[in-house]
Each structure stands twice: as C-alpha cells, then as structure tokens.
Amino acid sequence: MTTPAAPQVLPGHDVRAGDRPRLSFAVPRRGKPPRHLADLTAQERAGVVAELGYPEYRANQLSTHYFTHLTRDAGEMTDLPAAMRDELVPQLLPDLLTEVRRLEADGGSTVKTLWSLFDGVKVESVLMGYSDRATLCVSSQAGCGMACPFCATGQQGLTRNLSTAEIVEQVRRAAVSCRDGELSRGPRRLSNVVFMGMGEPMANYKAVIGAVRRMVEPNPHGLGMSARNITVSTVGLVPAIAKLSAEGIPVRLALSLHAPDDELRSQLVPINSRWTVGESLDAARHYFEVTGRRVSIEYALIKDMNDHAWRGDLLATELLKRGKGWVHVNPIPLNPTPGSIWTASDKSVQDEFVARLRSAGIPTTVRDTRGSDIDGACGQLAGQE
Ligand code: SAH
C-alpha cells in the first residue's frame, strides 16, 4: 500500500471555501408548522383533547385513525360524533404535506414525491419496492447545512428543520401508497425507513428521534414498525451518535465516510474538520458495542477522487483497527449532480475497490442505485424548484 503525501485532488476538482455553501448548524428562523398529533406523546395528546373539552379516550380514537388506519380524513372517523371530529381533526391532524410532483422509475417500483410544506418549502421522499421489502427514503431537513460538494442537497444550504410530524407524515403517506398497491413491486406494507433523503438527521436530533419513536411505538400510539428496519444516516456528528447509542432504540446506523483519510474527507464531508475519520469511526464502533447493531459505512465512489485501491486498503485497515464483525461497507456509485464534473467510478475500478475490502474480510455490498432517471439522488428535484 502506498499513501501519497498530498491528497489526490485533481485540477479543477479542488473545493475552496466560498465556492459553495458554508458548513452550518444555524437554523434559519421561520414559522413553526401547525401542531400535529404525531408531534406529541400519547399523554400529551390526551391533554390537548381534554383542554378542548373532550374525554381523553377520544385521543386514542384519533391516534387509531392516524397510525392504524393511516387516515386523517374526518369523514372516515364514524366512531366520533361529527361535530367533535370537525373540531378535533383540524386541531390535531392538520394537513402538513401537499403533493407537488410524483415521478416513477424502475417500472413503477420506485416512486419519488416532491412535497410542499405548510410554508411552501419543498422536500422529497422516495419509495422503493423490492421483492421482500418496501423502503422509504425520508427527508429530515429542508436543504442541509453540511455542504458536502458532491451532494445535490448540500449545494442548497439549510432552509429549515422538519418537525417530527412532517417526517412521520412522509412515512404515513408512503404506508398508504404501499397499502393501496401504488408500487409495482414489493409488499403491501411499508417495512423500512432510511433517513437518506434531504438533510442531516443528527443535526435535527430531537425531531428525528421523535419521528423514530412514533414509527416504532405499537398501534395505536405509533406505526408499529421495527427499529431494526429504520436506518439513520449521518455525516458523523460524534456527540449525536453518542446520544443515539444511549436511546435504547436499536436503529441501524449508517456513517457517510466517503474517504478513509482526513485530508480528502475534509473536502468531501466538511464536518470532518470538526470530527475526524478516527473520531467518527470510534463513535460508530461504540454504537455497535452498545446496541449490537452492525454499522454501515457509506462510501460514494467518485471517479479519480476517492476510488483508489490504496484507499480501499486504508479503509479496511481503519475498520479492522477497531475490530472485526462490527461493520460493513456500502460503496455507492456516485449519482452525478447537475453542473458537477464529478462522475461515478469505472466499473473495473469499483470492482477493485470492493475486492480490496472483501479480501481484508470486510463485508461489502454495492448499493443499488434506484431512480437515477428521475434524479434519484435526493435533493435534485427540490433543487430544481
Ligand atoms: N446527511 C446524511 C443523509 C444524507 S443522504 C448523510 O450524509 O449520511 C444519504 C447518503 O447519500 C449519504 O451517504 C450521502 O453522502 C450520499 N449521497 C449524497 N449525494 C450523493 C450522490 N450524488 N451520489 C451518491 N451518494 C450520494
């Protein structure tokens, strides 16, 4: 293995501060979305219903309609007196997502939806049907403050955090699509959720963990999904990963590494200047120790940037340094974003990169790229609007 002293950055590929949105945690001030049942715990919902002058058990009926029957249509709530539902539904089940566009790909087994939020802000989610599962890719923020130069959302900067209910609504709408047979492939039940849409979920921790809780809580207080089928993907916000480890909810953690060395990673994932490759991997390894969940390392393969065989070797070394059996690697062929000169690696280069990891004993699976003909990389659709 040879490790060049200088980072392998090609002429014209270097990323200078000022050329792109700056890394930012600051959330621009905007109005808050209207209160929604999915923002609240079961107890809080009962409290709101009581404040409005109704018996607390009515809250459970509303929750059953929302989480079990997947509806917010007052007309379907025939177990509630008409006057009561006309008052409670707008109070607790306001309309949070308006469909703006829907695009299908892969013969109808991938459906991408562009949503408009209460304030006109746009976000996307992508539903993918497989033979054994249906997976929704959700957005956790409108835009993103992490400024990764190869990511369409990273180019937009952060508009605002989504609320818990705005995230849960994406999931409920997808569950309805599955149930109603709108996917050409896959089961009639939404089984998996990945936080791989727009935004950095760990920078919107409270809303994201709230959404995870609503997804895993059994009916009627939540959607009753398995935590094991929920993936939180992060650039590596180390303190947030530590916090997630302690939640006692065994979601899958995916770490967007994209480079095994700090010099290159600081360019591809700017937050690396705050938490290094080593610190991110230590946090990921700790997550495995606490939860027993094997961590995924995401690695977008970018031609001549990070796809060198020696970087495959270095990645394997960094992972093995922290033990065996705790991690697997997901190389992702780069989905080129509009205006970018970066492209996916040649197949032979990708194969060699994968081979290096596998020969070191690291389980490695190339991520299948769904929906590339509908601007599959999340953020590209909202970016056009
Ligand atoms: N902020 C989170 C979730 C983002 S999207 C994170 O960074 O993990 C999920 C994955 O898609 C991340 O690994 C991200 O780096 C990757 N990704 C972003 N843009 C991409 C592109 N153009 N091609 C391939 N993967 C991309």
Side-chain angles (χ1 to χ4, degrees), residues 312-347:
D313 293 336
L314 181 58
L315 175 58
T317 303
E318 287 296 331
L319 299 178
L320 289 171
K321 239 192 225 174
R322 294 167 175 83
K324 279 189 167 170
W326 68 279
V327 71
H328 65 267
V329 176
N330 268 161
I332 315 166
L334 183 80
N335 194 335
T337 58
S340 166
I341 50 170
W342 288 339
T343 57
S345 304
D346 292 336
K347 181 74 170 59

PDB file of all heavy atoms in Angstrom, residues 312-347:
ATOM      1  N   GLY A 312      -9.034   1.871  -0.625  1.00  0.00           N
ATOM      2  CA  GLY A 312      -9.788   0.689  -0.196  1.00  0.00           C
ATOM      3  C   GLY A 312      -9.024  -0.045   0.891  1.00  0.00           C
ATOM      4  O   GLY A 312      -9.588  -0.439   1.925  1.00  0.00           O
ATOM      5  N   ASP A 313      -7.721  -0.191   0.671  1.00  0.00           N
ATOM      6  CA  ASP A 313      -6.873  -0.865   1.676  1.00  0.00           C
ATOM      7  C   ASP A 313      -6.854  -0.071   2.983  1.00  0.00           C
ATOM      8  O   ASP A 313      -6.952  -0.642   4.070  1.00  0.00           O
ATOM      9  CB  ASP A 313      -5.432  -1.002   1.165  1.00  0.00           C
ATOM     10  CG  ASP A 313      -5.322  -1.959  -0.022  1.00  0.00           C
ATOM     11  OD1 ASP A 313      -6.199  -2.835  -0.154  1.00  0.00           O
ATOM     12  OD2 ASP A 313      -4.363  -1.809  -0.804  1.00  0.00           O
ATOM     13  N   LEU A 314      -6.709   1.244   2.849  1.00  0.00           N
ATOM     14  CA  LEU A 314      -6.636   2.088   4.049  1.00  0.00           C
ATOM     15  C   LEU A 314      -7.954   2.041   4.825  1.00  0.00           C
ATOM     16  O   LEU A 314      -7.965   1.984   6.060  1.00  0.00           O
ATOM     17  CB  LEU A 314      -6.287   3.531   3.658  1.00  0.00           C
ATOM     18  CG  LEU A 314      -6.148   4.530   4.809  1.00  0.00           C
ATOM     19  CD1 LEU A 314      -5.092   4.094   5.821  1.00  0.00           C
ATOM     20  CD2 LEU A 314      -5.799   5.931   4.260  1.00  0.00           C
ATOM     21  N   LEU A 315      -9.062   2.027   4.086  1.00  0.00           N
ATOM     22  CA  LEU A 315     -10.371   1.921   4.735  1.00  0.00           C
ATOM     23  C   LEU A 315     -10.454   0.608   5.524  1.00  0.00           C
ATOM     24  O   LEU A 315     -10.854   0.603   6.702  1.00  0.00           O
ATOM     25  CB  LEU A 315     -11.496   1.998   3.688  1.00  0.00           C
ATOM     26  CG  LEU A 315     -12.911   1.788   4.211  1.00  0.00           C
ATOM     27  CD1 LEU A 315     -13.265   2.796   5.303  1.00  0.00           C
ATOM     28  CD2 LEU A 315     -13.931   1.882   3.062  1.00  0.00           C
ATOM     29  N   ALA A 316     -10.032  -0.478   4.887  1.00  0.00           N
ATOM     30  CA  ALA A 316     -10.061  -1.780   5.574  1.00  0.00           C
ATOM     31  C   ALA A 316      -9.205  -1.732   6.841  1.00  0.00           C
ATOM     32  O   ALA A 316      -9.621  -2.207   7.907  1.00  0.00           O
ATOM     33  CB  ALA A 316      -9.566  -2.875   4.629  1.00  0.00           C
ATOM     34  N   THR A 317      -8.027  -1.121   6.739  1.00  0.00           N
ATOM     35  CA  THR A 317      -7.130  -1.033   7.900  1.00  0.00           C
ATOM     36  C   THR A 317      -7.790  -0.254   9.039  1.00  0.00           C
ATOM     37  O   THR A 317      -7.755  -0.679  10.191  1.00  0.00           O
ATOM     38  CB  THR A 317      -5.816  -0.319   7.496  1.00  0.00           C
ATOM     39  OG1 THR A 317      -5.252  -1.050   6.406  1.00  0.00           O
ATOM     40  CG2 THR A 317      -4.828  -0.275   8.646  1.00  0.00           C
ATOM     41  N   GLU A 318      -8.393   0.890   8.699  1.00  0.00           N
ATOM     42  CA  GLU A 318      -9.041   1.723   9.723  1.00  0.00           C
ATOM     43  C   GLU A 318     -10.182   0.973  10.410  1.00  0.00           C
ATOM     44  O   GLU A 318     -10.397   1.117  11.617  1.00  0.00           O
ATOM     45  CB  GLU A 318      -9.579   3.023   9.106  1.00  0.00           C
ATOM     46  CG  GLU A 318      -8.508   4.030   8.737  1.00  0.00           C
ATOM     47  CD  GLU A 318      -7.743   4.552   9.948  1.00  0.00           C
ATOM     48  OE1 GLU A 318      -8.327   4.604  11.043  1.00  0.00           O
ATOM     49  OE2 GLU A 318      -6.545   4.869   9.802  1.00  0.00           O
ATOM     50  N   LEU A 319     -10.921   0.179   9.620  1.00  0.00           N
ATOM     51  CA  LEU A 319     -12.045  -0.553  10.200  1.00  0.00           C
ATOM     52  C   LEU A 319     -11.547  -1.712  11.063  1.00  0.00           C
ATOM     53  O   LEU A 319     -12.036  -1.914  12.183  1.00  0.00           O
ATOM     54  CB  LEU A 319     -12.982  -1.061   9.096  1.00  0.00           C
ATOM     55  CG  LEU A 319     -13.624   0.037   8.227  1.00  0.00           C
ATOM     56  CD1 LEU A 319     -14.498  -0.580   7.134  1.00  0.00           C
ATOM     57  CD2 LEU A 319     -14.451   1.004   9.077  1.00  0.00           C
ATOM     58  N   LEU A 320     -10.550  -2.438  10.562  1.00  0.00           N
ATOM     59  CA  LEU A 320     -10.042  -3.607  11.296  1.00  0.00           C
ATOM     60  C   LEU A 320      -9.324  -3.221  12.585  1.00  0.00           C
ATOM     61  O   LEU A 320      -9.324  -3.982  13.545  1.00  0.00           O
ATOM     62  CB  LEU A 320      -9.104  -4.434  10.395  1.00  0.00           C
ATOM     63  CG  LEU A 320      -9.820  -5.175   9.266  1.00  0.00           C
ATOM     64  CD1 LEU A 320      -8.809  -5.786   8.305  1.00  0.00           C
ATOM     65  CD2 LEU A 320     -10.765  -6.249   9.814  1.00  0.00           C
ATOM     66  N   LYS A 321      -8.743  -2.007  12.572  1.00  0.00           N
ATOM     67  CA  LYS A 321      -8.112  -1.465  13.784  1.00  0.00           C
ATOM     68  C   LYS A 321      -9.084  -1.494  14.951  1.00  0.00           C
ATOM     69  O   LYS A 321      -8.698  -1.539  16.111  1.00  0.00           O
ATOM     70  CB  LYS A 321      -7.798   0.021  13.522  1.00  0.00           C
ATOM     71  CG  LYS A 321      -6.366   0.431  13.631  1.00  0.00           C
ATOM     72  CD  LYS A 321      -6.359   1.963  13.625  1.00  0.00           C
ATOM     73  CE  LYS A 321      -5.277   2.498  12.713  1.00  0.00           C
ATOM     74  NZ  LYS A 321      -5.351   3.960  12.593  1.00  0.00           N
ATOM     75  N   ARG A 322     -10.358  -1.368  14.622  1.00  0.00           N
ATOM     76  CA  ARG A 322     -11.408  -1.280  15.647  1.00  0.00           C
ATOM     77  C   ARG A 322     -12.161  -2.592  15.824  1.00  0.00           C
ATOM     78  O   ARG A 322     -13.230  -2.616  16.437  1.00  0.00           O
ATOM     79  CB  ARG A 322     -12.353  -0.128  15.305  1.00  0.00           C
ATOM     80  CG  ARG A 322     -11.649   1.209  15.406  1.00  0.00           C
ATOM     81  CD  ARG A 322     -12.414   2.353  14.805  1.00  0.00           C
ATOM     82  NE  ARG A 322     -11.706   3.614  15.063  1.00  0.00           N
ATOM     83  CZ  ARG A 322     -10.694   4.076  14.334  1.00  0.00           C
ATOM     84  NH1 ARG A 322     -10.274   3.396  13.273  1.00  0.00           N
ATOM     85  NH2 ARG A 322     -10.082   5.196  14.661  1.00  0.00           N
ATOM     86  N   GLY A 323     -11.589  -3.655  15.262  1.00  0.00           N
ATOM     87  CA  GLY A 323     -12.170  -4.982  15.489  1.00  0.00           C
ATOM     88  C   GLY A 323     -12.814  -5.558  14.246  1.00  0.00           C
ATOM     89  O   GLY A 323     -12.834  -4.935  13.179  1.00  0.00           O
ATOM     90  N   LYS A 324     -13.317  -6.787  14.428  1.00  0.00           N
ATOM     91  CA  LYS A 324     -13.951  -7.495  13.307  1.00  0.00           C
ATOM     92  C   LYS A 324     -15.437  -7.641  13.568  1.00  0.00           C
ATOM     93  O   LYS A 324     -15.871  -7.634  14.711  1.00  0.00           O
ATOM     94  CB  LYS A 324     -13.348  -8.900  13.186  1.00  0.00           C
ATOM     95  CG  LYS A 324     -12.035  -8.921  12.455  1.00  0.00           C
ATOM     96  CD  LYS A 324     -11.611 -10.355  12.181  1.00  0.00           C
ATOM     97  CE  LYS A 324     -10.458 -10.355  11.176  1.00  0.00           C
ATOM     98  NZ  LYS A 324      -9.842 -11.666  11.039  1.00  0.00           N
ATOM     99  N   GLY A 325     -16.199  -7.762  12.502  1.00  0.00           N
ATOM    100  CA  GLY A 325     -17.617  -8.134  12.641  1.00  0.00           C
ATOM    101  C   GLY A 325     -18.530  -7.025  13.110  1.00  0.00           C
ATOM    102  O   GLY A 325     -19.698  -7.266  13.392  1.00  0.00           O
ATOM    103  N   TRP A 326     -18.023  -5.782  13.184  1.00  0.00           N
ATOM    104  CA  TRP A 326     -18.863  -4.704  13.700  1.00  0.00           C
ATOM    105  C   TRP A 326     -19.403  -3.795  12.610  1.00  0.00           C
ATOM    106  O   TRP A 326     -20.192  -2.898  12.858  1.00  0.00           O
ATOM    107  CB  TRP A 326     -18.092  -3.859  14.726  1.00  0.00           C
ATOM    108  CG  TRP A 326     -16.961  -3.044  14.130  1.00  0.00           C
ATOM    109  CD1 TRP A 326     -15.708  -3.484  13.820  1.00  0.00           C
ATOM    110  CD2 TRP A 326     -16.990  -1.649  13.765  1.00  0.00           C
ATOM    111  NE1 TRP A 326     -14.961  -2.463  13.276  1.00  0.00           N
ATOM    112  CE2 TRP A 326     -15.725  -1.335  13.242  1.00  0.00           C
ATOM    113  CE3 TRP A 326     -17.969  -0.655  13.837  1.00  0.00           C
ATOM    114  CZ2 TRP A 326     -15.402  -0.059  12.787  1.00  0.00           C
ATOM    115  CZ3 TRP A 326     -17.647   0.622  13.376  1.00  0.00           C
ATOM    116  CH2 TRP A 326     -16.375   0.905  12.854  1.00  0.00           C
ATOM    117  N   VAL A 327     -18.985  -4.075  11.382  1.00  0.00           N
ATOM    118  CA  VAL A 327     -19.208  -3.076  10.346  1.00  0.00           C
ATOM    119  C   VAL A 327     -19.326  -3.737   8.983  1.00  0.00           C
ATOM    120  O   VAL A 327     -18.795  -4.830   8.771  1.00  0.00           O
ATOM    121  CB  VAL A 327     -18.018  -2.075  10.387  1.00  0.00           C
ATOM    122  CG1 VAL A 327     -16.729  -2.700   9.884  1.00  0.00           C
ATOM    123  CG2 VAL A 327     -18.305  -0.771   9.675  1.00  0.00           C
ATOM    124  N   HIS A 328     -20.082  -3.120   8.105  1.00  0.00           N
ATOM    125  CA  HIS A 328     -19.975  -3.498   6.707  1.00  0.00           C
ATOM    126  C   HIS A 328     -19.938  -2.227   5.866  1.00  0.00           C
ATOM    127  O   HIS A 328     -20.316  -1.149   6.346  1.00  0.00           O
ATOM    128  CB  HIS A 328     -21.073  -4.471   6.272  1.00  0.00           C
ATOM    129  CG  HIS A 328     -22.447  -3.909   6.311  1.00  0.00           C
ATOM    130  ND1 HIS A 328     -23.266  -4.031   7.396  1.00  0.00           N
ATOM    131  CD2 HIS A 328     -23.149  -3.189   5.390  1.00  0.00           C
ATOM    132  CE1 HIS A 328     -24.418  -3.429   7.153  1.00  0.00           C
ATOM    133  NE2 HIS A 328     -24.377  -2.906   5.959  1.00  0.00           N
ATOM    134  N   VAL A 329     -19.463  -2.372   4.638  1.00  0.00           N
ATOM    135  CA  VAL A 329     -19.265  -1.196   3.785  1.00  0.00           C
ATOM    136  C   VAL A 329     -20.250  -1.241   2.623  1.00  0.00           C
ATOM    137  O   VAL A 329     -20.467  -2.280   2.014  1.00  0.00           O
ATOM    138  CB  VAL A 329     -17.811  -1.118   3.267  1.00  0.00           C
ATOM    139  CG1 VAL A 329     -17.637   0.057   2.305  1.00  0.00           C
ATOM    140  CG2 VAL A 329     -16.834  -0.980   4.439  1.00  0.00           C
ATOM    141  N   ASN A 330     -20.862  -0.081   2.356  1.00  0.00           N
ATOM    142  CA  ASN A 330     -21.757   0.113   1.222  1.00  0.00           C
ATOM    143  C   ASN A 330     -21.145   1.116   0.251  1.00  0.00           C
ATOM    144  O   ASN A 330     -21.374   2.321   0.405  1.00  0.00           O
ATOM    145  CB  ASN A 330     -23.081   0.731   1.692  1.00  0.00           C
ATOM    146  CG  ASN A 330     -24.148  -0.270   2.036  1.00  0.00           C
ATOM    147  OD1 ASN A 330     -25.084   0.064   2.739  1.00  0.00           O
ATOM    148  ND2 ASN A 330     -24.034  -1.488   1.558  1.00  0.00           N
ATOM    149  N   PRO A 331     -20.371   0.649  -0.726  1.00  0.00           N
ATOM    150  CA  PRO A 331     -19.975   1.599  -1.765  1.00  0.00           C
ATOM    151  C   PRO A 331     -21.213   1.976  -2.588  1.00  0.00           C
ATOM    152  O   PRO A 331     -22.065   1.139  -2.846  1.00  0.00           O
ATOM    153  CB  PRO A 331     -18.978   0.816  -2.619  1.00  0.00           C
ATOM    154  CG  PRO A 331     -18.574  -0.362  -1.771  1.00  0.00           C
ATOM    155  CD  PRO A 331     -19.779  -0.686  -0.947  1.00  0.00           C
ATOM    156  N   ILE A 332     -21.320   3.268  -2.932  1.00  0.00           N
ATOM    157  CA  ILE A 332     -22.462   3.770  -3.708  1.00  0.00           C
ATOM    158  C   ILE A 332     -21.903   4.416  -4.969  1.00  0.00           C
ATOM    159  O   ILE A 332     -21.129   5.363  -4.859  1.00  0.00           O
ATOM    160  CB  ILE A 332     -23.235   4.864  -2.922  1.00  0.00           C
ATOM    161  CG1 ILE A 332     -23.457   4.458  -1.464  1.00  0.00           C
ATOM    162  CG2 ILE A 332     -24.541   5.220  -3.610  1.00  0.00           C
ATOM    163  CD1 ILE A 332     -23.908   5.619  -0.565  1.00  0.00           C
ATOM    164  N   PRO A 333     -22.261   3.919  -6.158  1.00  0.00           N
ATOM    165  CA  PRO A 333     -21.787   4.615  -7.361  1.00  0.00           C
ATOM    166  C   PRO A 333     -22.288   6.057  -7.328  1.00  0.00           C
ATOM    167  O   PRO A 333     -23.472   6.288  -7.075  1.00  0.00           O
ATOM    168  CB  PRO A 333     -22.442   3.832  -8.508  1.00  0.00           C
ATOM    169  CG  PRO A 333     -22.820   2.503  -7.917  1.00  0.00           C
ATOM    170  CD  PRO A 333     -23.118   2.758  -6.467  1.00  0.00           C
ATOM    171  N   LEU A 334     -21.414   7.017  -7.523  1.00  0.00           N
ATOM    172  CA  LEU A 334     -21.832   8.428  -7.445  1.00  0.00           C
ATOM    173  C   LEU A 334     -22.963   8.702  -8.421  1.00  0.00           C
ATOM    174  O   LEU A 334     -22.922   8.294  -9.576  1.00  0.00           O
ATOM    175  CB  LEU A 334     -20.668   9.371  -7.777  1.00  0.00           C
ATOM    176  CG  LEU A 334     -21.059  10.854  -7.622  1.00  0.00           C
ATOM    177  CD1 LEU A 334     -21.010  11.285  -6.163  1.00  0.00           C
ATOM    178  CD2 LEU A 334     -20.183  11.756  -8.481  1.00  0.00           C
ATOM    179  N   ASN A 335     -23.965   9.389  -7.942  1.00  0.00           N
ATOM    180  CA  ASN A 335     -25.050   9.852  -8.787  1.00  0.00           C
ATOM    181  C   ASN A 335     -24.706  11.305  -9.123  1.00  0.00           C
ATOM    182  O   ASN A 335     -24.791  12.168  -8.252  1.00  0.00           O
ATOM    183  CB  ASN A 335     -26.339   9.757  -7.970  1.00  0.00           C
ATOM    184  CG  ASN A 335     -27.565   9.885  -8.839  1.00  0.00           C
ATOM    185  OD1 ASN A 335     -27.526  10.474  -9.908  1.00  0.00           O
ATOM    186  ND2 ASN A 335     -28.660   9.330  -8.371  1.00  0.00           N
ATOM    187  N   PRO A 336     -24.254  11.575 -10.352  1.00  0.00           N
ATOM    188  CA  PRO A 336     -23.749  12.925 -10.632  1.00  0.00           C
ATOM    189  C   PRO A 336     -24.847  13.969 -10.443  1.00  0.00           C
ATOM    190  O   PRO A 336     -25.987  13.739 -10.830  1.00  0.00           O
ATOM    191  CB  PRO A 336     -23.313  12.856 -12.097  1.00  0.00           C
ATOM    192  CG  PRO A 336     -23.306  11.413 -12.452  1.00  0.00           C
ATOM    193  CD  PRO A 336     -24.260  10.717 -11.536  1.00  0.00           C
ATOM    194  N   THR A 337     -24.492  15.081  -9.839  1.00  0.00           N
ATOM    195  CA  THR A 337     -25.464  16.152  -9.619  1.00  0.00           C
ATOM    196  C   THR A 337     -25.306  17.180 -10.737  1.00  0.00           C
ATOM    197  O   THR A 337     -24.237  17.286 -11.344  1.00  0.00           O
ATOM    198  CB  THR A 337     -25.245  16.830  -8.252  1.00  0.00           C
ATOM    199  OG1 THR A 337     -23.914  17.337  -8.225  1.00  0.00           O
ATOM    200  CG2 THR A 337     -25.414  15.859  -7.106  1.00  0.00           C
ATOM    201  N   PRO A 338     -26.368  17.925 -11.016  1.00  0.00           N
ATOM    202  CA  PRO A 338     -26.330  18.880 -12.129  1.00  0.00           C
ATOM    203  C   PRO A 338     -25.155  19.854 -11.966  1.00  0.00           C
ATOM    204  O   PRO A 338     -24.917  20.360 -10.877  1.00  0.00           O
ATOM    205  CB  PRO A 338     -27.666  19.630 -12.008  1.00  0.00           C
ATOM    206  CG  PRO A 338     -28.552  18.743 -11.186  1.00  0.00           C
ATOM    207  CD  PRO A 338     -27.656  17.958 -10.294  1.00  0.00           C
ATOM    208  N   GLY A 339     -24.436  20.068 -13.047  1.00  0.00           N
ATOM    209  CA  GLY A 339     -23.357  21.045 -13.041  1.00  0.00           C
ATOM    210  C   GLY A 339     -22.053  20.552 -12.450  1.00  0.00           C
ATOM    211  O   GLY A 339     -21.040  21.241 -12.491  1.00  0.00           O
ATOM    212  N   SER A 340     -22.049  19.325 -11.908  1.00  0.00           N
ATOM    213  CA  SER A 340     -20.827  18.820 -11.294  1.00  0.00           C
ATOM    214  C   SER A 340     -19.995  18.081 -12.334  1.00  0.00           C
ATOM    215  O   SER A 340     -20.529  17.424 -13.221  1.00  0.00           O
ATOM    216  CB  SER A 340     -21.185  17.880 -10.144  1.00  0.00           C
ATOM    217  OG  SER A 340     -20.048  17.146  -9.765  1.00  0.00           O
ATOM    218  N   ILE A 341     -18.670  18.205 -12.208  1.00  0.00           N
ATOM    219  CA  ILE A 341     -17.818  17.479 -13.149  1.00  0.00           C
ATOM    220  C   ILE A 341     -17.452  16.113 -12.595  1.00  0.00           C
ATOM    221  O   ILE A 341     -16.771  15.340 -13.250  1.00  0.00           O
ATOM    222  CB  ILE A 341     -16.538  18.276 -13.491  1.00  0.00           C
ATOM    223  CG1 ILE A 341     -15.858  18.746 -12.195  1.00  0.00           C
ATOM    224  CG2 ILE A 341     -16.872  19.463 -14.377  1.00  0.00           C
ATOM    225  CD1 ILE A 341     -14.473  19.326 -12.436  1.00  0.00           C
ATOM    226  N   TRP A 342     -17.901  15.821 -11.387  1.00  0.00           N
ATOM    227  CA  TRP A 342     -17.593  14.514 -10.819  1.00  0.00           C
ATOM    228  C   TRP A 342     -18.511  13.443 -11.385  1.00  0.00           C
ATOM    229  O   TRP A 342     -19.699  13.687 -11.593  1.00  0.00           O
ATOM    230  CB  TRP A 342     -17.753  14.565  -9.300  1.00  0.00           C
ATOM    231  CG  TRP A 342     -16.674  15.345  -8.633  1.00  0.00           C
ATOM    232  CD1 TRP A 342     -15.449  15.635  -9.150  1.00  0.00           C
ATOM    233  CD2 TRP A 342     -16.720  15.940  -7.345  1.00  0.00           C
ATOM    234  NE1 TRP A 342     -14.720  16.383  -8.244  1.00  0.00           N
ATOM    235  CE2 TRP A 342     -15.483  16.578  -7.131  1.00  0.00           C
ATOM    236  CE3 TRP A 342     -17.679  15.997  -6.331  1.00  0.00           C
ATOM    237  CZ2 TRP A 342     -15.172  17.254  -5.966  1.00  0.00           C
ATOM    238  CZ3 TRP A 342     -17.370  16.670  -5.169  1.00  0.00           C
ATOM    239  CH2 TRP A 342     -16.125  17.289  -4.983  1.00  0.00           C
ATOM    240  N   THR A 343     -17.952  12.266 -11.589  1.00  0.00           N
ATOM    241  CA  THR A 343     -18.762  11.158 -12.104  1.00  0.00           C
ATOM    242  C   THR A 343     -18.470   9.895 -11.295  1.00  0.00           C
ATOM    243  O   THR A 343     -17.554   9.867 -10.471  1.00  0.00           O
ATOM    244  CB  THR A 343     -18.453  10.843 -13.587  1.00  0.00           C
ATOM    245  OG1 THR A 343     -17.061  10.548 -13.683  1.00  0.00           O
ATOM    246  CG2 THR A 343     -18.807  12.003 -14.489  1.00  0.00           C
ATOM    247  N   ALA A 344     -19.258   8.879 -11.590  1.00  0.00           N
ATOM    248  CA  ALA A 344     -19.068   7.595 -10.920  1.00  0.00           C
ATOM    249  C   ALA A 344     -17.778   6.936 -11.405  1.00  0.00           C
ATOM    250  O   ALA A 344     -17.297   7.202 -12.514  1.00  0.00           O
ATOM    251  CB  ALA A 344     -20.255   6.687 -11.208  1.00  0.00           C
ATOM    252  N   SER A 345     -17.230   6.083 -10.577  1.00  0.00           N
ATOM    253  CA  SER A 345     -16.011   5.355 -10.938  1.00  0.00           C
ATOM    254  C   SER A 345     -16.299   4.366 -12.064  1.00  0.00           C
ATOM    255  O   SER A 345     -17.425   3.904 -12.211  1.00  0.00           O
ATOM    256  CB  SER A 345     -15.519   4.565  -9.726  1.00  0.00           C
ATOM    257  OG  SER A 345     -15.331   5.434  -8.636  1.00  0.00           O
ATOM    258  N   ASP A 346     -15.235   4.059 -12.838  1.00  0.00           N
ATOM    259  CA  ASP A 346     -15.384   2.992 -13.824  1.00  0.00           C
ATOM    260  C   ASP A 346     -15.673   1.689 -13.086  1.00  0.00           C
ATOM    261  O   ASP A 346     -15.193   1.480 -11.966  1.00  0.00           O
ATOM    262  CB  ASP A 346     -14.090   2.844 -14.638  1.00  0.00           C
ATOM    263  CG  ASP A 346     -13.861   4.071 -15.520  1.00  0.00           C
ATOM    264  OD1 ASP A 346     -14.853   4.767 -15.841  1.00  0.00           O
ATOM    265  OD2 ASP A 346     -12.690   4.337 -15.863  1.00  0.00           O
ATOM    266  N   LYS A 347     -16.399   0.829 -13.779  1.00  0.00           N
ATOM    267  CA  LYS A 347     -16.804  -0.440 -13.162  1.00  0.00           C
ATOM    268  C   LYS A 347     -15.594  -1.242 -12.673  1.00  0.00           C
ATOM    269  O   LYS A 347     -15.621  -1.813 -11.569  1.00  0.00           O
ATOM    270  CB  LYS A 347     -17.617  -1.245 -14.199  1.00  0.00           C
ATOM    271  CG  LYS A 347     -18.138  -2.578 -13.713  1.00  0.00           C
ATOM    272  CD  LYS A 347     -19.311  -2.432 -12.744  1.00  0.00           C
ATOM    273  CE  LYS A 347     -20.016  -3.743 -12.428  1.00  0.00           C
ATOM    274  NZ  LYS A 347     -19.168  -4.763 -11.839  1.00  0.00           N
TER     275      LYS A 347
END
